[in-house]
Amino acid sequence: MPDAHILGIESSCDETAAAVVRSGAQIISNVVFSQIATHQPYGGVVPELASREHLRAIVPVVRKALADAGLTYQTVDALAVTQGPGLAGALLVGISYAKALAFALDKPLIAVNHLEGHIHAVLLEERQKGGFSDSSRELNFPVLALVVSGGHTHLYLAEQRGESWSYTNIGHTRDDAAGEAFDKVAKLLGLGYPGGPIIDKLAGHGKASAVKFPPSQIKHPDRKEQASPGAGAPLRFDFSYSGIKTAVLRYVETNNLQGSIEERRKSLLGIAKPTVEDYLSRCDQCTLDLVASFQRAMVEDLVGKTLAAARAYDVATVFVTGGVAANNELRRQFESDAAQEGLPVFFPSRPLATDNAAMIAAAAYPKFLAGDFAPADFSAEAGMRLR
Ligand code: KG4
Ligand code: ZN
């Protein structure tokens, strides 16, 4: 198989990223410029600000990725860019820049689905460690991938034919994504943005059994996914997280926590980069118990549904990827529950779990081998599906 250095560019949400990856297996450079500081005061991503920040960062970020790799624009073999899903304006910055570069350099350009990128982050991680390459450590199919991030909670069956990959969605969230639930609950509790990493750090200081959240219930079939429900329709494992967010709000109201939340929110605003101690000194035990119980309920739902789907589809391997896959308790629970079923489970390292461009360059490699290049008139697809 030919060796190829692919320059990946990612700008779908609030990270401007560029990376060079060799043949889908080795990261040569990986630059991520996070916009967290820009969006923090608003408690979430503001699309117009995201586009503006991408415009500012894209040229220096790509230049740095090439410089770190010791390469020039001329010496990369191909460019790859996220086409969707994501914020339309944000995606357009990466796509316009990648198109202009590819045209000027006369290099092939590969359009990558962001969700496929997250799945390939797992493959990249293992290949870097020497896995999935020889017969003793080969990847066994069927593979079930949980992509769990701020914008997505999807379950895919992934197949590989020759070099090319295809995906079948067997579950998605009906409302909020899991990462969105972490972010909204953290905001509700005056803890700041993004919520996932903060809740992850605080949950260990609370009692996870303190607050009981009822399991999420999905009563109606999904009209979008099941055109003809009934015999022969694939079994679905959907998620729903708006209920748990409302339950946290009710708990806050019932226990009169609003005053202390407002105090905490204002006080944390004055600290540029709060430490765990800063958070802990501003949280009473009741709040820490609530945080721990919320995280427990999220983890139980994600692990329970994914492993139920793994059993139903008799899969051989599970991938867990996306920003929420950085969560310590989620990783621990997946590892112990999957081990009981004799099921191997793989995660990307934390820097590859959250948004980055190395995963985009890695997902582009099979398309590079297949000559699957983007037409000159392709554009951003904010609601792009993965197939
Ligand atoms: O994959 P990602 O960087 O961007 C999207 O594609 O959405 O995921 C970001 C999401 C945010 O919602 C963030 O709160 C969540 O991932 N996240 C975490 C953790 N680290 C990031 N959630 C739980 N625990 C974490 N340690
Ligand atoms: Zn993502």
Side-chain angles (χ1 to χ4, degrees):
M1 257 183 296
D3 233 8
H5 286 94
I6 299 182
L7 169 66
I9 297 174
E10 152 66 36
S11 69
S12 67
C13 191
D14 59 345
E15 263 99 23
T16 319
V20 177
V21 175
R22 189 179 60 78
S23 307
Q26 191 193 355
I27 298 175
I28 312 293
S29 67
N30 189 14
V31 180
V32 180
F33 172 75
S34 168
Q35 303 179 359
I36 285 177
T38 305
H39 302 289
Q40 216 151 27
Y42 306 94
V45 179
V46 183
E48 289 79 3
L49 294 183
S51 309
R52 200 195 300 165
E53 288 297 299
H54 284 306
L55 271 176
R56 254 203 273 266
I58 191 105
V59 174
V61 163
V62 171
R63 276 193 190 144
K64 180 159 169 47
L66 284 173
D68 288 358
L71 294 173
T72 62
Y73 289 108
Q74 282 74 24
T75 51
V76 296
D77 296 289
L79 285 86
V81 67
T82 306
Q83 182 177 12
L87 302 169
L91 289 163
L92 272 175
V93 176
I95 291 173
S96 311
Y97 186 58
K99 270 191 189 182
L101 261 186
F103 181 74
L105 298 169
D106 197 19
K107 303 273 180 193
L109 177 59
I110 299 156
V112 174
N113 184 308
H114 181 83
L115 301 168
E116 183 171 25
H118 275 303
I119 294 172
H120 281 254
V122 181
L123 295 163
L124 174 58
E125 179 75 40
E126 285 311 303
R127 288 183 182 136
Q128 290 228 113
K129 295 185 210 152
F132 295 165
S133 50
D134 56 38
S135 54
S136 63
R137 287 199 285 175
E138 70 186 14
L139 173 60
N140 293 315
F141 289 87
V143 170
L144 176 68
L146 170 68
V147 183
V148 59
S149 70
H152 311 280
T153 309
H154 286 289
L155 278 172
Y156 294 100
L157 291 171
E159 281 177 89
Q160 190 186 22
R161 283 212 186 88
E163 279 310 313
S164 79
W165 286 76
S166 62
Y167 310 88
T168 308
N169 185 289
I170 58 155
H172 68 173
T173 180
R174 300 289 188 86
D175 38 55
D176 293 348
E180 195 178 353
F182 271 93
D183 294 339
K184 285 180 176 169
V185 164
K187 187 176 180 186
L188 190 70
L189 298 178
L191 292 167
Y193 173 84
I198 305 168
I199 289 179
D200 192 354
K201 288 188 198 102
L202 297 183
H205 298 270
K207 197 166 151 212
S209 58
V211 186
K212 293 269 174 288
F213 291 107
S216 69
Q217 285 191 339
I218 297 169
K219 296 198 182 97
H220 307 289
D222 187 350
R223 284 184 216 100
K224 273 191 291 185
E225 291 292 337
Q226 285 179 330
S228 53
L235 262 181
R236 295 201 57 80
F237 292 85
D238 285 347
F239 304 88
S240 166
Y241 295 118
S242 65
I244 190 166
K245 180 192 62 191
T246 312
V248 173
L249 178 63
R250 293 280 165 276
Y251 186 91
V252 164
E253 288 168 352
T254 315
N255 292 276
N256 288 319
L257 301 177
Q258 295 97 328
S260 60
I261 287 173
E262 196 43 29
E263 246 175 63
R264 173 163 56 242
R265 196 185 64 77
K266 281 196 189 131
S267 151
L268 285 169
L269 272 182
I271 308 174
K273 278 196 181 154
T275 61
V276 184
E277 286 67 36
D278 291 327
Y279 289 113
L280 286 174
S281 62
R282 288 164 178 81
C283 289
D284 54 15
Q285 197 54 46
C286 172
T287 302
L288 292 172
D289 290 350
L290 177 60
V291 164
S293 305
F294 162 75
Q295 180 176 274
R296 180 98 294 265
M298 293 297 294
V299 166
E300 272 173 10
D301 190 78
L302 287 165
V303 176
K305 288 219 176 93
T306 304
L307 293 185
R311 284 189 292 272
Y313 284 90
D314 198 17
V315 307
T317 308
V318 172
F319 287 3
V320 183
T321 186
V324 181
N327 186 272
N328 286 293
E329 179 150 348
L330 186 77
R331 291 167 92 103
R332 197 189 49 70
Q333 193 70 47
F334 256 117
E335 264 161 4
S336 73
D337 288 8
Q340 279 185 11
E341 307 199 14
L343 199 57
V345 54
F346 296 92
F347 308 89
S349 60
R350 285 177 180 76
L352 287 186
T354 48
D355 284 353
N356 65 87
M359 68 185 198
I360 302 302
Y365 182 60
K367 298 181 204 297
F368 175 82
L369 294 177
D372 181 4
F373 303 132
D377 62 351
F378 92 101
S379 192
E381 225 185 288
M384 194 176 186
R385 288 191 174 206
L386 179 60
R387 290 192 173 89

